[in-house]
Amino acid sequence: VNRHTRAAFNFLTQKLRIPPQRIIVFGRSIGTGPATNLVSILSKSRKAAAALVLQSPYRSIKTLAKELVGAIANVIMDRFDNEADIVNCHSPTLIIHGRQDELIPVRHASVLYEKCPAEAKCLEIIEGVDHNAFHALDHIIRPVSTFLQKIGADRLPPLPITSHSVMKVLDEGQLLVPPDIPEPRGEGAAQSGFVVRALGSLLGKTSEWGLDNVGGDQRLQNHPNIGVNNRPGSGQAEARQ
């Protein structure tokens, strides 16, 4: 999953020519792991995303599993360790969590907020909300919009990207590009997942993209190498600069 996240980022920066500082990295629940890992890698490479937004994050998969099932969780490989990665995340960071979340308790978000070194960071605690009961407008769009205004991201000019320009890039035939961020040692090129194979089939590019007879372990042949808020449902975020 982390490799696919990096491949998507490389596609945006190399193929679509979007500067990293114009990309907002968003992750929800288990997806906060790949999102935090990506921003951590960017920081180590002296790059920065426009912002990192985490909805209902966990400290780590193993830590969460221990709380749910006890010591048996020690057998789990901790692939997503947000607590370790967040200390490298210097991009502006917004964390949103439901106060009544029983799957991932809100204390996980509090720990990540305290350990995040970003100068601009905000923890939004939504009252009366569990893991899945978020209202898209009141609990996600408005807090994110307010946070982006606080850090000045809303004043940036629009990117000259249209759906036509994206499809033109896709029609060129190579989704994977030389990496803008390196693969960590021990990890190889991204494998061709279901989404890539499905997209290739829809566009009639399976042969051109090297997806014919792709097995479970075959790689794509074309690869060339701010304060804490308790939010009852609306309100303003505080940014700490």
Side-chain angles (χ1 to χ4, degrees), residues 77-226:
M77 181 179 294
D78 210 350
R79 293 185 179 276
F80 299 131
D81 191 342
N82 286 337
E83 193 169 354
D85 284 335
I86 197 75
V87 299
N88 299 312
C89 295
H90 295 274
S91 297
T93 300
L94 170 64
I95 302 176
I96 304 172
H97 214 104
R99 174 76 74 182
Q100 278 65 47
D101 194 330
E102 296 181 354
L103 179 61
I104 305 176
V106 69
R107 61 179 175 271
H108 285 248
S110 298
V111 170
L112 295 178
Y113 172 79
E114 292 299 329
K115 292 196 172 187
C116 178
E119 293 184 5
K121 62 180 181 178
C122 178
L123 173 60
E124 289 279 353
I125 300 176
I126 312 297
E127 301 291 343
V129 171
D130 60 19
H131 193 69
N132 295 308
F134 287 87
H135 186 277
L137 178 60
D138 291 337
H139 301 157
I140 306 299
I141 296 175
R142 283 177 177 162
V144 170
S145 177
T146 299
F147 183 73
L148 294 179
Q149 290 174 13
K150 291 289 186 179
I151 64 176
D154 63 316
R155 295 188 292 273
L156 296 173
L159 293 167
I161 296 177
T162 65
S163 58
H164 174 74
S165 63
V166 173
M167 291 306 300
K168 182 179 180 181
V169 170
L170 293 176
D171 284 339
E172 292 177 0
Q174 288 195 6
L175 283 178
L176 300 183
V177 296
D180 192 39
I181 51 177
E183 291 287 342
R185 183 173 299 178
E187 294 192 33
Q191 294 184 358
S192 55
F194 170 78
V195 174
V196 174
R197 293 197 300 273
L199 182 61
S201 297
L202 288 173
L203 298 178
K205 301 284 188 177
T206 54
S207 178
E208 186 176 343
W209 291 354
L211 297 175
D212 289 337
N213 302 318
V214 173
D217 61 350
Q218 182 175 343
R219 275 64 184 269
L220 279 176
Q221 297 172 9
N222 283 337
H223 196 300
N225 37 42
I226 295 185

